[in-house]
Amino acid sequence: MLSSIKLMSRFVREYEGEENIKKRASSVNSQLNENQVDEKTVANKLDEKAVDTAGISNTSYDGTQSDIPSRSSVEESRRRRGTGRLVALDAVRGLAVLGMYLQHFGSNPNVSAIVSGNTTLLFVLCGGISYSIMAQRMMDRGADTAAFRARMLARAVFVDIIGYLLIMLNTPYGVILPAYAAMFVLALMLFRRSTRTIVTTAAVLLVTAPPLMILGSSIFSKAYLLSDIAGGPMSALALTPAFVAGMAIGRFDLTRIRTALILAGSGIVMLVIGKTLATFVLPGWSLRFEQWLISAQGIAPMQPDEYAIWPLNTEPPMWHMLLQSAPHTASSFQTIIGLGISFLVLGLAFFVAKKFSAVLMPFAAVGRVALTMYAIQFVVVWILDLIGIGHSLEGVPFGDLIIGVAALLLGWLIARLPVGPLEGLMRRFDRVFSPTQPVSQTVK
């Protein structure tokens, strides 16, 4: 009897011990799961802080309610987005803005020949890359596509308003922000498409956009809102090939050396082809084409009566621009040359970011507040012209160097703020017109 009681008591102790072990194991597993959730939550928050919002600034993106993604998807998304990639992208965007400052305030003809028109394409290309990265991150996090569409529509409205305010200053330089805003909206048709479709679309637009843009500059010559979409070299249609090309580039892993080398090599090939055609082929083609236009039209076209009814008040299409390679002509040849330079700069920046990222930091600071820096240059030109002081440093020794250093210093000072002034306003505007909810932390 006693032996049976002892055996039973020992069995009970062993059973209780197993139960305690199971409870402790369950508690440990629960704690590990909670820690895993915390890691994922922190990772999501870090990813949101690092999102580059469609080429304007590095602002956070508020996700819609969804389940927490798996560890593998978070690690894969983190691997594809590495810090070097964002630094390089900001640096290239900063270089584009710096080139605009040199174009608007500098006086060196050699520097102007390099930056004129090419900085615009580089800026737009970076916008397409950021647009694609932002869309991909949203899908990786399981957010609703409606939230992304609402965010881009709100952002387009904000950028458009800023653009028209800068146009009202009546400076002698064109403002691309209205066209930039239109591209935000037009790109909504592509951001869920395959990479092959986006690449094909960019190639088709490279050929078809210039004649449509020239036709639009005639038809929409008196309709300013429509001309921002498809009416001239500074319209959205004219710049869309670069933007869509950027969307395609944003689909690739830009943290890899191989990708950087492919970009740089492709840029060299495009640049050599474009420059060769512009130097040896286009002058003869352009002369014969203009002679044919004159013979086909009989006489030089008369200027339209601006008070006539549409379409009698439209300007004649400038078809001769199809075979031009000058800056801001938006022809296929000028776009190829500009994209060649942009691809080369991108490839070099992504390559340098892998080894010497510190070199890119001053330019990345300008790129992080690109919208504010872009607007400041027009305000400065307006103020200087208003008080009768020329905004060009012509005749000043090392004038272009002074402009470059001043722009880098200004961008560095603004980037030290928690967020750029216009970037902060844009974020608040987004939250008002496209409210979203944070990602849920439920675990199944």
Side-chain angles (χ1 to χ4, degrees), residues 44 46-53 58-59 61 69 77-78 80-83 85-86 89 130-143 148 250:
N44 285 337
L46 291 175
D47 289 342
E48 291 172 5
K49 291 293 289 181
V51 168
D52 188 295
T53 52
N58 287 338
T59 57
Y61 177 80
S77 179
R78 187 184 301 159
R80 286 176 52 84
R81 291 191 296 263
T83 56
R85 176 179 185 171
L86 291 176
L89 188 58
S130 299
Y131 195 99
S132 188
I133 292 175
M134 182 178 177
Q136 189 63 41
R137 285 175 175 172
M138 176 210 65
M139 289 185 287
D140 289 343
R141 294 170 52 243
F148 178 77

Short mmCIF file of all heavy atoms in Angstrom, two decimals, residues 44 46-53 58-59 61 69 77-78 80-83 85-86 89 130-143 148 250:
data_model
loop_
_atom_site.label_atom_id
_atom_site.label_comp_id
_atom_site.label_asym_id
_atom_site.label_seq_id
_atom_site.Cartn_x
_atom_site.Cartn_y
_atom_site.Cartn_z
N ASN A 44 8.90 47.46 -39.63
CA ASN A 44 7.92 48.19 -40.45
C ASN A 44 8.06 49.69 -40.27
O ASN A 44 7.99 50.46 -41.22
CB ASN A 44 6.50 47.74 -40.08
CG ASN A 44 6.15 46.38 -40.63
OD1 ASN A 44 6.76 45.95 -41.61
ND2 ASN A 44 5.21 45.69 -40.01
N LEU A 46 10.75 51.32 -39.29
CA LEU A 46 11.98 51.77 -39.93
C LEU A 46 11.81 51.84 -41.43
O LEU A 46 12.30 52.76 -42.08
CB LEU A 46 13.13 50.83 -39.57
CG LEU A 46 13.60 50.87 -38.10
CD1 LEU A 46 14.66 49.80 -37.87
CD2 LEU A 46 14.13 52.25 -37.75
N ASP A 47 11.11 50.86 -42.01
CA ASP A 47 10.87 50.88 -43.45
C ASP A 47 10.04 52.08 -43.84
O ASP A 47 10.27 52.73 -44.85
CB ASP A 47 10.16 49.60 -43.89
CG ASP A 47 11.09 48.39 -43.81
OD1 ASP A 47 12.32 48.63 -43.76
OD2 ASP A 47 10.59 47.26 -43.79
N GLU A 48 9.03 52.40 -43.01
CA GLU A 48 8.19 53.55 -43.32
C GLU A 48 8.99 54.84 -43.27
O GLU A 48 8.81 55.75 -44.08
CB GLU A 48 7.03 53.62 -42.32
CG GLU A 48 6.02 52.49 -42.49
CD GLU A 48 5.00 52.46 -41.36
OE1 GLU A 48 5.07 53.39 -40.54
OE2 GLU A 48 4.18 51.54 -41.31
N LYS A 49 9.92 54.96 -42.32
CA LYS A 49 10.73 56.17 -42.21
C LYS A 49 11.66 56.32 -43.40
O LYS A 49 12.03 57.43 -43.76
CB LYS A 49 11.56 56.12 -40.93
CG LYS A 49 10.75 56.24 -39.66
CD LYS A 49 10.12 57.59 -39.50
CE LYS A 49 11.15 58.64 -39.19
NZ LYS A 49 10.58 59.97 -39.01
N ALA A 50 12.04 55.20 -44.01
CA ALA A 50 13.02 55.25 -45.09
C ALA A 50 12.40 55.37 -46.46
O ALA A 50 13.11 55.49 -47.44
CB ALA A 50 13.90 53.99 -45.05
N VAL A 51 11.08 55.35 -46.54
CA VAL A 51 10.44 55.37 -47.85
C VAL A 51 10.73 56.69 -48.55
O VAL A 51 10.56 57.76 -47.99
CB VAL A 51 8.91 55.17 -47.71
CG1 VAL A 51 8.22 55.48 -49.01
CG2 VAL A 51 8.62 53.74 -47.30
N ASP A 52 11.16 56.62 -49.79
CA ASP A 52 11.38 57.80 -50.61
C ASP A 52 10.11 58.06 -51.40
O ASP A 52 9.74 57.30 -52.26
CB ASP A 52 12.55 57.56 -51.56
CG ASP A 52 12.92 58.82 -52.28
OD1 ASP A 52 12.08 59.30 -53.06
OD2 ASP A 52 14.03 59.30 -52.09
N THR A 53 9.42 59.14 -51.07
CA THR A 53 8.07 59.33 -51.58
C THR A 53 8.09 60.01 -52.93
O THR A 53 8.02 61.22 -53.07
CB THR A 53 7.26 60.19 -50.59
OG1 THR A 53 8.01 61.35 -50.31
CG2 THR A 53 7.01 59.45 -49.31
N ASN A 58 12.30 62.23 -48.44
CA ASN A 58 12.25 61.00 -47.67
C ASN A 58 11.30 61.20 -46.51
O ASN A 58 11.69 61.58 -45.42
CB ASN A 58 13.65 60.64 -47.14
CG ASN A 58 14.54 60.15 -48.23
OD1 ASN A 58 14.06 59.70 -49.26
ND2 ASN A 58 15.83 60.23 -48.04
N THR A 59 10.04 60.96 -46.72
CA THR A 59 9.04 61.11 -45.68
C THR A 59 8.42 59.77 -45.38
O THR A 59 8.52 58.82 -46.14
CB THR A 59 7.94 62.10 -46.12
OG1 THR A 59 7.37 61.62 -47.34
CG2 THR A 59 8.51 63.47 -46.33
N TYR A 61 5.56 56.89 -44.76
CA TYR A 61 4.35 56.50 -45.47
C TYR A 61 3.47 55.73 -44.51
O TYR A 61 3.83 54.67 -44.00
CB TYR A 61 4.70 55.61 -46.66
CG TYR A 61 3.49 55.10 -47.40
CD1 TYR A 61 2.84 55.92 -48.32
CD2 TYR A 61 3.01 53.83 -47.18
CE1 TYR A 61 1.73 55.45 -48.99
CE2 TYR A 61 1.90 53.36 -47.86
CZ TYR A 61 1.26 54.17 -48.75
OH TYR A 61 0.17 53.74 -49.43
N PRO A 69 3.61 41.31 -42.11
CA PRO A 69 4.21 40.41 -43.09
C PRO A 69 5.13 39.41 -42.42
O PRO A 69 5.57 39.59 -41.29
CB PRO A 69 5.00 41.36 -44.01
CG PRO A 69 5.29 42.54 -43.16
CD PRO A 69 4.11 42.69 -42.25
N SER A 77 12.56 42.34 -48.32
CA SER A 77 12.31 43.75 -48.64
C SER A 77 13.43 44.62 -48.13
O SER A 77 13.87 45.56 -48.79
CB SER A 77 10.97 44.18 -48.03
OG SER A 77 10.71 45.52 -48.30
N ARG A 78 13.94 44.30 -46.91
CA ARG A 78 15.03 45.09 -46.34
C ARG A 78 16.31 44.91 -47.16
O ARG A 78 17.07 45.85 -47.35
CB ARG A 78 15.26 44.65 -44.90
CG ARG A 78 16.26 45.52 -44.14
CD ARG A 78 16.48 44.96 -42.76
NE ARG A 78 15.23 44.91 -42.03
CZ ARG A 78 15.04 44.12 -40.98
NH1 ARG A 78 15.98 43.32 -40.58
NH2 ARG A 78 13.88 44.14 -40.36
N ARG A 80 16.52 44.28 -50.37
CA ARG A 80 16.40 44.96 -51.65
C ARG A 80 16.50 46.47 -51.50
O ARG A 80 16.81 47.16 -52.45
CB ARG A 80 15.07 44.61 -52.32
CG ARG A 80 15.02 43.22 -52.89
CD ARG A 80 13.63 42.93 -53.44
NE ARG A 80 13.20 43.98 -54.36
CZ ARG A 80 13.53 44.02 -55.65
NH1 ARG A 80 14.32 43.10 -56.16
NH2 ARG A 80 13.10 44.98 -56.44
N ARG A 81 16.21 46.99 -50.30
CA ARG A 81 16.14 48.43 -50.16
C ARG A 81 17.37 49.00 -49.49
O ARG A 81 17.39 50.17 -49.21
CB ARG A 81 14.91 48.82 -49.33
CG ARG A 81 13.61 48.57 -50.03
CD ARG A 81 12.50 49.24 -49.24
NE ARG A 81 12.32 48.67 -47.94
CZ ARG A 81 11.44 47.76 -47.64
NH1 ARG A 81 10.66 47.26 -48.57
NH2 ARG A 81 11.31 47.31 -46.42
N GLY A 82 18.40 48.38 -49.23
CA GLY A 82 19.52 48.77 -48.40
C GLY A 82 19.76 50.26 -48.28
O GLY A 82 19.32 51.06 -49.06
N THR A 83 20.44 50.65 -47.24
CA THR A 83 20.66 52.07 -46.99
C THR A 83 21.46 52.73 -48.09
O THR A 83 21.23 53.88 -48.42
CB THR A 83 21.40 52.24 -45.65
OG1 THR A 83 22.60 51.48 -45.69
CG2 THR A 83 20.54 51.74 -44.50
N ARG A 85 21.31 52.28 -51.18
CA ARG A 85 20.46 52.62 -52.31
C ARG A 85 19.79 53.96 -52.08
O ARG A 85 19.75 54.80 -52.96
CB ARG A 85 19.42 51.52 -52.49
CG ARG A 85 18.42 51.81 -53.58
CD ARG A 85 17.44 50.65 -53.71
NE ARG A 85 16.54 50.86 -54.82
CZ ARG A 85 15.72 49.92 -55.26
NH1 ARG A 85 15.71 48.74 -54.69
NH2 ARG A 85 14.92 50.14 -56.26
N LEU A 86 19.25 54.18 -50.89
CA LEU A 86 18.58 55.44 -50.62
C LEU A 86 19.57 56.60 -50.63
O LEU A 86 19.24 57.68 -51.10
CB LEU A 86 17.84 55.36 -49.28
CG LEU A 86 16.63 54.43 -49.25
CD1 LEU A 86 16.07 54.37 -47.84
CD2 LEU A 86 15.58 54.90 -50.22
N LEU A 89 20.34 57.36 -54.27
CA LEU A 89 19.21 57.98 -54.95
C LEU A 89 19.04 59.43 -54.52
O LEU A 89 18.80 60.32 -55.35
CB LEU A 89 17.94 57.18 -54.67
CG LEU A 89 16.68 57.58 -55.46
CD1 LEU A 89 16.92 57.48 -56.96
CD2 LEU A 89 15.50 56.71 -55.05
N SER A 130 11.82 56.46 -57.46
CA SER A 130 11.22 56.55 -56.13
C SER A 130 9.75 56.15 -56.15
O SER A 130 9.26 55.52 -55.21
CB SER A 130 11.37 57.98 -55.59
OG SER A 130 12.71 58.34 -55.49
N TYR A 131 9.06 56.51 -57.20
CA TYR A 131 7.65 56.14 -57.34
C TYR A 131 7.50 54.63 -57.33
O TYR A 131 6.64 54.07 -56.64
CB TYR A 131 7.12 56.73 -58.65
CG TYR A 131 5.63 56.76 -58.80
CD1 TYR A 131 4.91 57.92 -58.54
CD2 TYR A 131 4.92 55.64 -59.23
CE1 TYR A 131 3.54 57.97 -58.69
CE2 TYR A 131 3.56 55.67 -59.39
CZ TYR A 131 2.87 56.84 -59.12
OH TYR A 131 1.50 56.86 -59.27
N SER A 132 8.34 53.94 -58.10
CA SER A 132 8.27 52.49 -58.18
C SER A 132 8.66 51.84 -56.86
O SER A 132 8.03 50.86 -56.43
CB SER A 132 9.17 51.99 -59.31
OG SER A 132 8.99 50.61 -59.54
N ILE A 133 9.69 52.37 -56.19
CA ILE A 133 10.12 51.83 -54.90
C ILE A 133 9.01 51.98 -53.87
O ILE A 133 8.71 51.05 -53.11
CB ILE A 133 11.40 52.53 -54.43
CG1 ILE A 133 12.57 52.15 -55.34
CG2 ILE A 133 11.71 52.16 -52.98
CD1 ILE A 133 13.84 52.89 -55.02
N MET A 134 8.37 53.12 -53.84
CA MET A 134 7.31 53.35 -52.88
C MET A 134 6.14 52.40 -53.11
O MET A 134 5.58 51.83 -52.16
CB MET A 134 6.84 54.80 -52.96
CG MET A 134 5.77 55.15 -51.96
SD MET A 134 5.30 56.89 -52.07
CE MET A 134 3.98 56.94 -50.86
N ALA A 135 5.77 52.22 -54.38
CA ALA A 135 4.67 51.30 -54.69
C ALA A 135 5.03 49.87 -54.30
O ALA A 135 4.20 49.13 -53.74
CB ALA A 135 4.33 51.38 -56.17
N GLN A 136 6.26 49.45 -54.55
CA GLN A 136 6.68 48.09 -54.23
C GLN A 136 6.71 47.88 -52.72
O GLN A 136 6.31 46.81 -52.23
CB GLN A 136 8.06 47.82 -54.83
CG GLN A 136 8.50 46.36 -54.73
CD GLN A 136 7.59 45.43 -55.50
OE1 GLN A 136 7.17 45.76 -56.61
NE2 GLN A 136 7.25 44.30 -54.91
N ARG A 137 7.16 48.85 -51.97
CA ARG A 137 7.18 48.72 -50.52
C ARG A 137 5.77 48.61 -49.96
O ARG A 137 5.52 47.86 -49.02
CB ARG A 137 7.90 49.93 -49.91
CG ARG A 137 9.40 49.87 -50.07
CD ARG A 137 10.03 51.13 -49.55
NE ARG A 137 11.48 51.04 -49.58
CZ ARG A 137 12.29 52.05 -49.34
NH1 ARG A 137 11.78 53.23 -49.06
NH2 ARG A 137 13.59 51.88 -49.39
N MET A 138 4.87 49.38 -50.54
CA MET A 138 3.48 49.32 -50.10
C MET A 138 2.91 47.92 -50.29
O MET A 138 2.27 47.36 -49.40
CB MET A 138 2.66 50.33 -50.88
CG MET A 138 1.16 50.28 -50.57
SD MET A 138 0.17 50.78 -51.98
CE MET A 138 0.55 49.47 -53.13
N MET A 139 3.19 47.31 -51.44
CA MET A 139 2.68 45.96 -51.70
C MET A 139 3.38 44.94 -50.82
O MET A 139 2.76 43.96 -50.39
CB MET A 139 2.86 45.62 -53.18
CG MET A 139 1.93 46.41 -54.09
SD MET A 139 2.03 45.92 -55.83
CE MET A 139 3.61 46.63 -56.28
N ASP A 140 4.66 45.12 -50.53
CA ASP A 140 5.37 44.21 -49.64
C ASP A 140 4.77 44.23 -48.24
O ASP A 140 4.76 43.21 -47.55
CB ASP A 140 6.86 44.57 -49.57
CG ASP A 140 7.59 44.25 -50.86
OD1 ASP A 140 7.05 43.46 -51.66
OD2 ASP A 140 8.69 44.79 -51.08
N ARG A 141 4.31 45.37 -47.82
CA ARG A 141 3.73 45.52 -46.49
C ARG A 141 2.26 45.15 -46.45
O ARG A 141 1.63 45.19 -45.40
CB ARG A 141 3.92 46.95 -45.99
CG ARG A 141 5.38 47.33 -45.75
CD ARG A 141 5.56 48.82 -45.49
NE ARG A 141 4.68 49.29 -44.44
CZ ARG A 141 3.74 50.20 -44.61
NH1 ARG A 141 3.54 50.72 -45.81
NH2 ARG A 141 2.99 50.57 -43.62
N GLY A 142 1.69 44.80 -47.59
CA GLY A 142 0.31 44.36 -47.64
C GLY A 142 -0.71 45.48 -47.54
O GLY A 142 -1.87 45.23 -47.20
N ALA A 143 -0.32 46.69 -47.81
CA ALA A 143 -1.24 47.81 -47.74
C ALA A 143 -2.19 47.81 -48.92
O ALA A 143 -1.93 47.22 -49.97
CB ALA A 143 -0.48 49.13 -47.68
N PHE A 148 -2.48 53.94 -51.67
CA PHE A 148 -1.40 54.49 -52.49
C PHE A 148 -1.95 55.44 -53.55
O PHE A 148 -1.38 56.51 -53.79
CB PHE A 148 -0.63 53.35 -53.15
CG PHE A 148 0.48 53.81 -54.05
CD1 PHE A 148 1.67 54.27 -53.53
CD2 PHE A 148 0.32 53.80 -55.43
CE1 PHE A 148 2.70 54.70 -54.35
CE2 PHE A 148 1.34 54.23 -56.26
CZ PHE A 148 2.53 54.68 -55.72
N GLY A 250 13.49 51.22 -60.89
CA GLY A 250 13.13 51.01 -59.49
C GLY A 250 12.71 49.59 -59.17
O GLY A 250 12.63 49.21 -57.99
#
